[in-house]
Amino acid sequence: MHVRYTITIHGRVQGIGFRPFVYRLAIANNLRGYVRNMGDGSVEIVVDGNEHDLERFIDALKHDKPPLALYEFMDIEKSEGGSEEFANFSIFGSVDTPSTVEPSIPPDIAICDECLHELFNMHDRRYLYFFITCTNCGPRFTMVRALPYDRVNTSMAEFPLCNECLKEYKDPLNRRFHNESIACHECGPRLYLVDCKGRRVDAAVVNDDNSDDGNPIATASRLIEQGCIIAVKGIGGFHLIT
């Protein structure tokens, strides 16, 4: 029997790779419809298909959710005889919906093993890129400015994606699929060192032999050894290092 489910999930379901998870799950079960973020922090899912496939989808949705997902409650509405409205399954644009429900914003998440491996892989294009992230790790709480959790509503909005990052962002099989914090050396935030007046500090000024090779982290380390105080600006504020 062909049926439709309309599912609304409240809880920690934005900013943790939940929409890509739902997308892959729907495709694996031959379902049509969409998933989208809602302005109240929830996620709305509409799925059409064979009843057996839908039941398998619902079971996986409940028991195989991403490790960072936290369901507070789930509304499921079933209707008989789903239409041919959808040709496939898609991630729709978010909807800004007012609500009295307090949204659940995920915390900043420590680097995952996969990103850590890429970070120190000399052949990876994100080798030593300080802001390496994916849907399983990276900043969330200190980056989001408003809900729904889309890049335009985060501090990453001012960093347009390069072609390579855009390919990853649009690839359902990539772990950076719809990862709003996605970035790289080419298009993302950059590291640099400035003095107390905001002027760029050249490594050669600190070291006569320029042994830091333009690396602001190495230069900052040498300045600390010389007795300077360094203010490290992070995504959530400043750390003073002496």
Side-chain angles (χ1 to χ4, degrees):
M1 179 184 296
H2 194 89
V3 296
R4 169 178 292 185
Y5 281 106
T6 300
I7 306 162
T8 304
I9 304 176
H10 294 266
R12 188 194 299 159
V13 288
Q14 293 192 19
I16 56 165
F18 192 74
R19 288 176 300 169
F21 158 71
V22 173
Y23 177 92
R24 289 188 288 267
L25 194 60
I27 296 299
N29 286 282
N30 305 307
L31 303 178
R32 301 185 298 273
Y34 67 84
V35 59
R36 63 183 176 185
N37 284 341
M38 308 300 283
D40 60 359
S42 67
V43 166
E44 180 185 69
I45 306 166
V46 173
V47 278
D48 280 355
N50 179 277
E51 188 168 19
H52 177 72
D53 293 334
L54 283 163
E55 289 175 354
R56 190 167 57 239
F57 172 83
I58 295 293
D59 183 71
L61 195 64
K62 291 179 177 178
H63 301 106
D64 299 331
K65 60 182 181 292
L68 295 173
L70 178 64
Y71 297 171
E72 293 178 358
F73 59 92
M74 180 188 299
D75 294 327
I76 302 177
E77 295 182 6
K78 178 181 176 182
S79 56
E80 300 286 339
S83 69
E84 299 297 325
E85 178 181 354
F86 306 109
N88 49 35
F89 194 87
S90 306
I91 295 181
F92 277 9
S94 303
V95 176
D96 189 6
T97 51
S99 174
T100 57
V101 178
E102 186 70 22
S104 178
I105 301 174
D108 298 336
I109 305 160
I111 187 171
C112 68
D113 290 340
E114 290 176 290
C115 282
L116 193 62
H117 174 74
E118 291 177 347
L119 181 65
F120 296 109
N121 180 1
M122 294 181 63
H123 303 291
D124 193 276
R125 71 187 191 89
R126 290 188 175 88
Y127 174 60
L128 297 184
Y129 182 56
F130 78 104
F131 199 64
I132 188 169
T133 71
C134 70
T135 51
N136 299 318
C137 68
R140 298 294 189 273
F141 184 83
T142 52
M143 190 177 74
V144 66
R145 292 171 172 165
L147 290 175
Y149 183 79
D150 293 322
R151 193 176 181 93
V152 69
N153 290 329
T154 72
S155 56
M156 293 297 290
E158 60 189 272
F159 298 97
L161 297 178
C162 65
N163 289 336
E164 289 300 315
C165 282
L166 191 60
K167 288 179 184 177
E168 294 174 330
Y169 185 85
K170 292 182 175 181
D171 181 4
L173 300 180
N174 194 289
R175 78 176 195 281
R176 293 187 171 92
F177 179 50
H178 276 263
N179 169 33
E180 307 305 349
S181 59
I182 187 173
C184 71
H185 291 285
E186 180 69 22
C187 62
R190 292 173 170 78
L191 278 179
Y192 54 89
L193 186 65
V194 299
D195 62 18
C196 60
K197 295 183 179 180
R199 298 171 298 196
R200 293 286 183 100
V201 175
D202 187 346
V205 174
V206 180
N207 306 288
D208 293 336
D209 59 359
N210 199 21
S211 57
D212 293 340
D213 195 27
N215 186 333
I217 296 178
T219 304
S221 297
R222 291 182 181 272
L223 286 169
I224 293 170
E225 291 175 351
Q226 295 171 15
C228 297
I229 298 175
I230 301 294
V232 179
K233 183 179 181 181
I235 54 176
F238 285 86
H239 298 279
L240 295 179
I241 303 177
T242 61

